Amino acid sequence: MTPTTAAPETGSGPAPESRPSNFLRERIADDLRTSKYNGRVQTRFPPEPNGYLHIGHAKAICIDFGLADEFNGHTNLRFDDTNPEKEDVEYVESIKEDIQWLGFHWDGLFYASDYFEQLYQWAVKLIKDGKAYVDDLTAEQIREYRGTLTEPGKESPYRNRSVEENLALFERMRSGEFLDGSRVLRAKIDMASPNFNMRDPVMYRILHAEHHRTGDKWCIYPMYDYAHGQSDSLEKVTHSMCSLEFADHQPLYQWFIEQLGIFPSQQIEFDRLSLTYTLMSKRKLRQLVEQGTVRGWDDPRMPTLSGLRRRGYTPEAIRNFVAAVGVSRTNGIVELAMLEHFLREDLNKRAPRVMAVLRPLKVVIDNYPEDVVEEMDAQNNPEDESAGSRKVPFSRELYIEQDDFREVPPPKYFRLSPGKEVRLRYGYFITAKNVVKNEKGEVVEVHCTYDVSTKGGNASGKPKPKSVKVFRMNVEEVQISVIEHGATAAGRADIVRLEDDWRVRSVLSEAGLNSTQVDYWKPKLQEIAVGGGIIIPLEVKSTIHWVSAKHAVDAEVRVYENLFTKENLADLPEGKDPLDYLNPNSLEVIQHAKLEPSLANAAPGSRYQFERLGYFCADPELKPGAPVFNRTVALKDTWAKVEKKQGGK
């Protein structure tokens, strides 16, 4: 039978190439060389419309569509919609959207429900051939009769009903005469088979439920294992690729094909994609949605493709990741960090750079004019010259990150602190002078001065020395020396009396300190013990980002972490459930983050690199002038470090 649906819908956009060497490609190439299917390559992607697709499905999509495209074949999208209680049009539409978003297209759109009548007629044929029977055992009794791994099953007392009785009962099942669960149709194979799937599997069950496509036309529905293989056959699928858990089902699919004498689709199994810290069970993901643990199937913490898309993932990153993972005949688990590596690699090339301050601390530049606003030139993307530049407003009052200032800096802290100079990205060099605190003793404002000669974040003229060394010669005198590249510069050592205030200030200024640094360091010279010394670092070792306070746009920023705390959710202690390992800190909502004004009307789904913070994506919930951003991924790349340790393997 040839599918007789309406004209197939097709996805948009060209499908990407799928080129890593693997046994699936070799099998298809061998079949083409031997003309096994007369030069045809026909694959299918057969999701059940009972939930949203997740990152694990992305691997199957890339394989099914990618290999068919590579060999000039065709791919059908077929919904195996045999369970109306769990299925919904919402899932159908989301699956279509996800496939298209990944960059693939289908050549035919079909549903297993298209074949319900043919499947029924084939079931009738099996009954007439003595290969199927109606069973009155309950579901629990069927499980009991099935046997164990070490003991064969028992035949149902209804197994040897006559063909006539079975045909009559099956027709009455279809007509709706019986209650749900009261009878099933089973294949008559071998109750002693070592393969449980061959111990008279159920083919049909009674279910008075409305189907999303056929309505109430049917009250009996085929089981997945009966409908799946025959649907492949009806569509003349040449290479039916699926994950390894279906390997034990292959003998059953082959049995149906042989008994019915229909087109023999070839099933090939490959490893499923599993990620650390990631749940891949649609049933469990549905539970997270239904119990309100997450905000929906597209919650950015979810591994669903819609969730990843909302978080800011790109289809290119996912396809590149799948290609790098490859295929195998054994299941394993892949580091989540590897997926994030490919995401960063892709976003680094395409995401515009902008400045945003998540946890703002106000900075006031005391010697900057109050009524002046400058437009600083900022590069949009150093990885893409064609991206150009933009203007960023600079004013007397700015916001910086709270973490970029320490009143008492720890060792090797090179960001802003009293007396220390830092570079403002695209702005000026500033030096912290003093602070304002609230009633709790927390710093709420930092007062600084700026060096007017450093506009654009560059030191003009002669480069500043690396450091100044002050040595206490005796009670009254100190020696001030300029240290350049680890050596004292010739002619740059002065001996001054501490009581000569003007002279001390002059020498420190000549050595490279600005006025704020002189004010900070001069009193500390008195504290140096005789014969001791201090080093005053002058080289600006840190560049920090900022946002002009009067131009800042208020925003909500959502920072996501792993939804689960356990690395391998497939390896749980007895009695434990994956949901026992939910991360209570998987979401932090930051209100009143400060963004540069170019982000005021960011389009939903637009991706940016917030400089020094990570990659972020504008959420669909944003409103004009009130943006909402999701953190896609932090800048730190742990996988790159792993690769380096492994020698790039």
Side-chain angles (χ1 to χ4, degrees), residues 277 299-302 311 336 340 558-564 583-588 631-632 634:
Y277 302 104
D299 188 303
R301 292 169 291 179
M302 293 279 274
R311 186 159 173 166
L336 176 61
E340 293 177 341
R558 300 165 182 172
V559 178
Y560 299 99
E561 301 293 346
N562 295 335
L563 187 55
F564 294 91
N583 180 5
N585 302 312
S586 62
L587 170 62
E588 178 188 8
R631 189 177 75 176
T632 306

Side-chain angles (χ1 to χ4, degrees), residues 360-362 402 405-407 434-446:
L361 172 64
K362 180 171 280 191
Q402 293 176 11
F405 176 81
R406 288 288 182 271
E407 187 177 17
N434 52 60
V435 300
V436 176
K437 298 183 179 181
N438 61 18
E439 63 277 2
K440 298 179 182 179
E442 299 167 334
V443 175
V444 294
E445 194 171 283
V446 180

Side-chain angles (χ1 to χ4, degrees), residues 275-278 564-573 578 581-582:
L275 283 175
T276 55
Y277 302 104
T278 305
F564 294 91
T565 59
K566 186 167 178 59
E567 184 175 31
N568 187 354
L569 290 167
D571 182 21
L572 300 179
Y581 297 93
L582 282 167

